[in-house]
Amino acid sequence: MSLQSALIGFLLSKMLPIPLSPQEIIVVQTTAVATGTMPLAAGFVGILPALGLLEEEKDGSPPIHLSWLAAVGWSCSVAFFGVFLSPPIRKQVIIKEQLAFPSGTATAQLISVLHQMPPPDTTLRRRSGYSAIDTEDLRDPTVLTDEPEGHQEGTGDDIDIDDEREVVQREGWNDLLCSFLASGAMTLAAYFFPIVFAIPIFGKYLAREWLWSFTPSLSYVGQGIIMGFPTTLSMNLGMLVGWGILSPLSKHSGWAPGPVGDMATGARGWILWVSLAIMCADSLVSLLPIVYEYFAELLAWYGPAKFSDGGEVREDHEVETAGRLVPMKWVISGLIGSICVGTILVWIVFGNDGIKPWATLIGFLMGGLLSILGVRALGETDLNPVSGLGKISQLLFAWIQPGNVVANIIAGGVAEAGAQQAGDLMQDLKTGHLLRASPRAQFYGQLIGSSLSIIVSTTAYTLYQRAYTIPGPSFPAPTAYVWLSLARLLRNGQLPEHSASFMVLFAIIFGVIAAVKAMAAHRSHPYTKWIPSGVAFAIGFLNTPSFSLARLIGGIIEYTYHRRFAKSGGADIRLIVIASGFVLGEGVISVISLVLKTYGVGVASCWGCGGGVCAGCPA
């Protein structure tokens, strides 16, 4: 998200009488990222849909559907905790430990290229043996993974830098506009002719009964380009195992007798448990070295004072003046205020039957700890393991407030929100640190973006909820089922037939794979990025094949471009511009589709469907 925001901010600033400076671009980027992070941090794609799936017989609570005002209150409760956590975490991981944060560094390099600046100094002190892993968190699929070789060294050829800048300035707008229009046109065509996004390339029977279809969404292709080939390859390997092997096996063995797409009795609900085991095993094993080294370094940093040979206390690496930093009294006041106000708002929105105030308070404290772990993992590997961190919080609250599914989901969401927000914002602070943007100005941008997104995200979610069923065929929200399924398991301990043995098997396999991947990264092996990502593999289980196939096409395009064209001036940046246009086009035009749906304008033709092939088909 940081890279796209910086690119679009640069292109828009060229229309101003006086273009924005690199530091101003970073503040714009920071504000945009804070705005875009809120839908994930506030759980509009997971927590709130999960609460709407509650059943009184199973969960002891009827479905919870928040009104617009209640959703605003919930968003306010989690909107600022991560923002106020960022300054002290920045001090630790960016200034003291100087972790890499590959995407934030890549964004700084991009901005320096576009503004004809010397490349930023990235020869930072890193923890021994670590290097960036070419992958990222699927909850936020907008991270650049591969960087041009000339930029990684910080001493690229000046001619190539000039070429890249000229290509972006000369053709960037055309590339962005053309890709935006192409993606928007396809999205609008798919609204009136649904078969466009549900092509039964394996036959109508497999599309209707087994959900094997292809969605040629240019937004999906753009996301695949940004995610990179190794990640999309892992996702599609998971898709093949989940939907090509385990789904038919569970169906024909009678373990999942319902329709394949049914999350309760069908194969999709059965393989969900296996994906949950993979995500938990991968995240927990990946976090173990982070946790160990974190506490070891805490003792080193805050134990007995270390002195240099000259008898002086260890130097402070902070390069900013006090007037450009966020005052500590602001941080302390903000943290106390956001925790207190957030606890009160959660109690007002959900009441005592939903979650006790003391449990919410523990959720915030848990979120602070998880934020530190998540940010450190992000700084070293470019992967924020928020999915695994959320599951850890659910396990804790199953012990703190047992039997309460609502409390388990809400408290887990509160804890995950801080980790999600702090991680996304830390990439921007890394960019600002490399290019000397004011941390205080970025802090203001984070507050403005988070505040604005409360209204924007809540309004958009409410409108989509009125027009569509969420989760539903058009917006399946698979993470909602992950949250709810784990909460139900922790409440009553019942698993689908024979799923437990497969969960253990795949957890062991991907625990070992995660350990191998961590050791390979520690030793800086070049093949590390090709070791399958457990989180990406599990995402292939969670989503239908149509979700993964188009992203694989994007990954192949990214890989081919980097192999053949990235060394020529501007090719790498140009590909990012095109991918950003693909994503933006579908996002903007989907708002038009929402308006059409709200006012009762339906599809023009069901030609090619044959019944049951397209999402939301009445047949």
Side-chain angles (χ1 to χ4, degrees), residues 138-374:
L138 274 296
R139 306 255 314 205
D140 185 15
T142 56
V143 177
L144 180 69
T145 53
D146 289 325
E147 302 172 25
E149 292 181 4
H151 295 298
Q152 288 177 345
E153 297 297 326
T155 57
D157 182 37
D158 290 339
I159 296 177
D160 288 342
I161 291 175
D162 289 340
D163 286 347
E164 286 185 297
R165 185 174 185 275
E166 289 173 6
V167 167
V168 172
Q169 288 197 348
R170 185 178 64 250
E171 302 181 8
W173 264 115
N174 289 335
D175 291 339
L176 186 67
L177 182 61
C178 290
S179 58
F180 178 94
L181 292 176
S183 180
M186 182 165 285
T187 303
L188 205 57
Y191 179 81
F192 290 109
F193 303 94
I195 194 64
V196 172
F197 273 5
I199 300 176
I201 55 174
F202 302 105
K204 290 184 178 180
Y205 172 76
L206 288 179
R208 182 174 56 252
E209 301 296 332
W210 295 94
L211 309 184
W212 278 85
S213 62
F214 173 58
T215 299
S217 162
L218 291 181
S219 176
Y220 287 4
V221 174
Q223 291 169 18
I225 292 172
I226 296 166
M227 292 161 67
F229 182 54
T231 300
T232 57
L233 185 61
S234 294
M235 187 185 301
N236 278 267
L237 288 174
M239 179 265 292
L240 288 174
V241 172
W243 292 90
I245 299 175
L246 295 184
S247 173
L249 176 65
S250 63
K251 176 73 172 178
H252 290 301
S253 299
W255 307 333
V260 170
D262 192 290
M263 296 296 289
T265 61
R268 187 175 188 182
W270 193 91
I271 64 175
L272 178 146
W273 290 100
V274 182
S275 72
L276 179 60
I278 294 171
M279 283 194 290
C280 289
D282 181 89
S283 299
L284 289 173
V285 172
S286 300
L287 276 175
L288 286 177
I290 305 293
V291 173
Y292 171 77
E293 294 189 24
Y294 170 63
F295 284 108
E297 291 196 5
L298 269 186
L299 294 176
W301 281 109
Y302 298 108
K306 292 186 177 180
F307 294 89
S308 62
D309 294 337
E312 295 180 355
V313 178
R314 180 178 58 238
E315 64 175 327
D316 185 359
H317 296 280
E318 182 60 77
V319 296
E320 299 291 348
T321 61
R324 286 163 57 89
L325 294 172
V326 181
M328 188 52 62
K329 64 179 181 180
W330 292 10
V331 173
I332 296 173
S333 300
L335 284 174
I336 294 174
S338 61
I339 290 173
C340 293
V341 173
T343 301
I344 293 171
L345 287 174
V346 170
W347 176 70
I348 292 173
V349 172
F350 296 103
N352 273 328
D353 293 336
I355 182 171
K356 305 294 183 184
W358 57 264
T360 305
L361 181 62
I362 294 175
F364 278 111
L365 298 177
M366 184 76 176
L369 175 61
L370 296 180
S371 296
I372 296 171
L373 299 179

Side-chain angles (χ1 to χ4, degrees), residues 47 50-51 54 59-64 346 350-356 394 397 401 403-413 484 487-488 491:
I47 302 296
L51 294 175
L54 294 172
D59 310 309
S61 172
I64 298 175
V346 170
F350 296 103
N352 273 328
D353 293 336
I355 182 171
K356 305 294 183 184
Q394 281 190 277
F397 282 98
Q401 205 167 346
N404 192 329
V405 172
V406 175
N408 186 277
I409 294 173
I410 295 171
L484 182 59
R488 283 175 173 170
R491 181 175 189 258

